[in-house]
Amino acid sequence: MATASDTLAPRGADLANPLYYLENMETVVGWVLAHHGDLLTPAERRRLDAFRVLPEPARALLTRLVMRTGELFRADKLAYPELPVADALACLADGGWLRTDPELALADLFRLYTLAELRQAFAPLLASLGLPRSLPKRELQARLSPEMSVPNPLKRWPGALPGPVVQLTDMALFERVRLMFFGNLRQGWADFVLVELGHQQYERVPFTPASRAFQCRDHVDRYLVLHQCREQLDAGVEPGAVWPQVPEASGNPWLDRRRDRLLLELGRLADRGGDRDLALRAYAASGHPEAHLKRLRLLERDGRIEDAWRLLATLPESDAGDDPSGQGEAEAEGLARLRRRLARKLNLPAPPPAPRPTIREWTLNLPGPTGPVEAAVARHLHRDDAPVAYVENCLIPGLFGLLCWPAVFEPLPGAFFHPFHAAPADLAWPDFVARRQAGFATCLARLRTDDYRTDILDTWDAKYGLANPFVAWSELSRPLLERALACIPAGHLEAMFRRLLQDVRGHRSGFPDLIRFRPADRSGSRYELIEVKGPGDRLQDHQRRWLVYFAHQGIPASVCYLRWHAPESAP
């Protein structure tokens, strides 16, 4: 099996190539064969090898069909100007890639044909059944279903429906390939095959057997079962029918996180449907951070206060996510409120809520309105010796992303599946930070040296333009970074970075809109973060949490409430 050292990273096709989608598909197939070939059966590898040597038009048409929805297609409706469709269809049929006379259920016909075509084909049958031809499509299908419940090839259906209909024979294999390339089945072929990848540059992350999320074929099979379970839930299948199908934990942390999320959703749907026993079992089996809170709330609603209190006693108390365990602030605050509520119900002393510092607020009256409130406040406050910049959620996350670049792109199992990742695949997972704890600790330790400014700017120069989930290149500039690094103390940066790491998904937003620099101020703070609120606007929860944190840490931040007043008229 190939490793990062003996294969070049593939490149996306140029959209100027009419068959760019085929070129991208060949990249996907080649990558999977090189890096996941051991997870395929010999028959599957032979089939993919056979795909790669098909005549180009046949490969291109097969790619087009794989990318479309479903497995059944009307041959008379296939039209691609760049392809000789008839010849390609014949080639694919000869090679067994297409079935030319598949069994079709009534529902298949109603997906493939128009209402006018169906009415004409079924006219005699409708007349014999005493049904009007004017029935809408859905009702027509419902009326015919009892009479036509057995699938048949197209030629055995009544009437003369246009044909032929062809069916893909290897869709399951291509779905497996898609899973091993993307690492999920949420992304479709269009997310890669139909896009121009050259407009974005990506970090080169080593891809080795040890960094693979799927270490054996069983892991792929388990993922497919989990995906099928989630599809059933999304389609409205009762949670009680899905529960027995959920596989046991595999011991693969990346895979088991997906199982935890499935169980969380199954428990939620069971609770909503009134099956509280199943909901409790699903929450108990899930390791998702939200499962504890949902299980406790359900016990409380059932009146099982003592059971809830005993379970709560097994959970650590935390100050809204003060560790990288994956428990977000919202969950931590929910647990704290629940702890106080249960204590009151049991006549036990309740822990007092943590004191909240005062958020500094001030009001600014300006003539207007004159455009966005943030821009108006920035213009008013700006001075040559105290410049103001609009930074919102770009500056602090950007500095973090540049300092912690090595940790963000650490090649851990389940983080990267192919060379076109704009972010680690596990970025939104609760244990994103915990898995990289040592790497982030090393990066943050640089803030306690004299070299961190140089490190950040050197990374800016070396990585400029490469996709990074924390760095918005178009919103940052080197002069802005230089000014921020000169004015913001390292201790303040570390405090903000550590809170960002407490909940990467939740804390990447909510930063104040503006930053005002005071480079010449040697007696007090050389910068201030300012959240701007216009008339009728108010702080959102995630913004308030950041401001409370800033106050705790002594980081200068305030809220400016802008009020417009009519400009004075000229005399």
Side-chain angles (χ1 to χ4, degrees):
M1 181 173 51
T3 66
S5 61
D6 54 27
T7 58
L8 296 176
R11 296 185 301 176
D14 185 346
L15 288 181
N17 175 9
L19 300 182
Y20 70 95
Y21 55 89
L22 172 59
E23 191 175 338
N24 282 340
M25 175 62 89
E26 290 172 337
T27 292
V28 171
V29 172
W31 179 265
V32 169
L33 282 170
H35 296 282
H36 300 289
D38 60 316
L39 307 185
L40 297 167
T41 66
E44 289 168 339
R45 289 195 296 272
R46 287 194 299 271
R47 198 62 172 157
L48 292 178
D49 287 336
F51 166 77
R52 301 170 85 181
V53 298
L54 280 170
E56 184 176 76
R59 294 200 310 277
L61 180 59
L62 184 57
T63 297
R64 284 290 196 184
L65 298 182
V66 165
M67 291 176 349
R68 291 176 55 168
T69 301
E71 299 181 7
L72 295 167
F73 307 96
R74 286 175 56 175
D76 63 317
K77 293 295 185 180
L78 297 177
Y80 300 104
E82 76 279 12
L83 296 178
V85 173
D87 292 341
L89 278 173
C91 181
L92 293 175
D94 289 343
W97 298 95
L98 294 177
R99 189 174 292 114
T100 57
D101 198 18
E103 298 276 310
L104 300 174
L106 184 67
D108 297 324
L109 298 182
F110 274 76
R111 283 194 300 269
L112 292 167
Y113 292 95
T114 66
L115 179 58
E117 290 171 328
L118 292 166
R119 282 173 173 170
Q120 181 177 351
F122 294 144
L125 177 61
L126 293 175
S128 68
L129 295 174
L131 298 174
R133 292 183 58 176
S134 59
L135 288 175
K137 197 171 189 179
R138 180 174 296 180
E139 187 176 351
L140 179 60
Q141 181 179 349
R143 295 288 191 93
L144 292 178
S145 290
E147 305 294 329
M148 300 180 166
S149 59
V150 179
N152 281 298
L154 183 63
K155 60 188 177 185
R156 295 185 185 174
W157 282 98
L161 288 167
V165 171
V166 296
Q167 182 180 29
L168 289 171
T169 59
D170 292 272
M171 197 59 192
L173 172 58
F174 282 102
E175 287 293 275
R176 188 175 287 265
V177 167
R178 179 164 68 98
L179 170 58
M180 288 189 284
F181 184 82
F182 285 114
N184 64 75
L185 288 173
R186 181 187 68 258
Q187 291 176 275
W189 291 108
D191 292 318
F192 178 85
V193 175
L194 285 179
V195 299
E196 165 59 89
L197 297 167
H199 74 283
Q200 176 67 71
Q201 295 177 292
Y202 303 90
E203 176 70 352
R204 293 284 296 271
V205 179
F207 192 89
T208 65
S211 67
R212 298 190 309 177
F214 300 116
Q215 290 294 321
C216 62
R217 186 178 176 86
D218 178 67
H219 291 164
V220 182
D221 293 338
R222 283 175 179 267
Y223 186 105
L224 292 170
V225 173
L226 292 172
H227 180 72
Q228 291 165 3
C229 289
R230 183 56 191 257
E231 282 191 322
Q232 291 180 59
L233 291 177
D234 292 343
V237 176
E238 289 295 324
V242 178
W243 168 257
Q245 302 175 48
V246 178
E248 296 294 326
S250 66
N252 178 327
W254 174 82
L255 198 58
D256 288 342
R257 287 197 302 275
R258 294 187 173 274
R259 177 179 180 272
D260 290 340
R261 192 163 63 178
L262 171 69
L263 289 169
L264 180 72
E265 179 64 9
L266 191 150
R268 186 184 69 82
L269 292 173
D271 185 10
R272 179 184 294 179
D275 192 345
R276 293 186 172 182
D277 288 340
L278 177 58
L280 287 171
R281 282 185 285 159
Y283 291 148
S286 173
H288 196 283
E290 295 180 27
H292 293 309
L293 183 56
K294 290 185 178 295
R295 184 182 175 195
L296 286 163
R297 285 174 173 168
L298 181 51
L299 288 171
E300 182 187 22
R301 291 204 311 272
D302 267 355
R304 298 166 59 179
I305 307 302
E306 293 183 353
D307 290 341
W309 184 258
R310 282 193 293 270
L311 175 59
L312 190 59
T314 66
L315 304 179
E317 294 190 40
S318 63
D319 293 329
D322 56 0
D323 67 320
S325 64
Q327 177 178 285
E329 275 189 344
E331 288 76 29
E333 289 177 356
L335 286 173
R337 288 193 295 268
L338 183 66
R339 183 175 277 108
R340 292 192 294 271
R341 197 163 61 241
L342 293 178
R344 285 196 301 270
K345 292 179 178 180
L346 293 171
N347 295 319
L348 297 173
R356 288 186 174 272
T358 301
I359 298 173
R360 191 166 76 85
E361 301 175 318
W362 50 288
T363 301
L364 177 63
N365 293 286
L366 292 177
T370 58
V373 294
E374 299 87 356
V377 173
R379 285 194 302 269
H380 178 78
L381 297 178
H382 187 87
R383 303 287 184 275
D384 289 342
D385 61 345
V388 178
Y390 176 74
V391 294
E392 199 176 12
N393 298 317
C394 296
L395 178 60
I396 301 304
L399 290 168
F400 168 84
L402 292 169
L403 179 69
C404 297
W405 196 289
V408 171
F409 289 97
E410 187 175 350
L412 298 175
F416 301 96
F417 291 84
H418 52 77
F420 305 100
H421 277 282
D426 63 337
L427 182 66
W429 289 90
D431 61 350
F432 171 77
V433 175
R435 299 178 69 208
R436 298 162 173 81
Q437 192 62 36
F440 281 121
T442 299
C443 293
L444 294 187
R446 301 294 292 170
L447 292 169
R448 295 186 287 276
T449 73
D450 295 332
D451 300 326
Y452 75 92
R453 297 182 182 88
T454 301
D455 290 344
I456 289 175
L457 294 174
D458 285 350
T459 301
W460 168 274
D461 293 334
K463 304 292 187 180
Y464 186 84
L466 296 183
N468 182 308
F470 299 98
V471 183
W473 298 106
S474 62
E475 304 298 325
L476 299 175
S477 67
R478 204 176 196 279
L480 174 61
L481 295 181
E482 291 172 346
R483 183 169 288 166
L485 290 170
C487 294
I488 304 176
H492 289 185
L493 288 176
E494 182 171 358
M496 288 186 277
F497 293 171
R498 288 194 180 281
R499 185 176 188 271
L500 182 58
L501 286 171
Q502 289 166 8
D503 182 1
V504 170
R505 181 177 58 180
H507 292 175
R508 279 197 295 167
S509 61
F511 288 93
D513 301 302
L514 307 178
I515 186 167
R516 176 163 54 178
F517 297 108
R518 300 189 185 91
D521 188 344
R522 302 296 177 185
S523 58
S525 176
R526 302 175 66 195
Y527 78 103
E528 179 186 10
L529 299 169
I530 303 171
E531 176 65 32
V532 179
K533 291 298 175 186
D537 198 4
R538 61 185 180 86
L539 289 174
Q540 299 178 44
D541 288 344
H542 64 310
Q543 295 171 330
R544 185 178 299 279
R545 291 181 185 125
W546 266 116
L547 291 164
V548 167
Y549 182 78
F550 292 150
H552 272 305
Q553 298 295 323
I555 293 172
S558 64
V559 183
C560 170
Y561 291 97
L562 176 62
R563 299 293 178 260
W564 301 113
H565 64 78
E568 296 181 4
S569 59

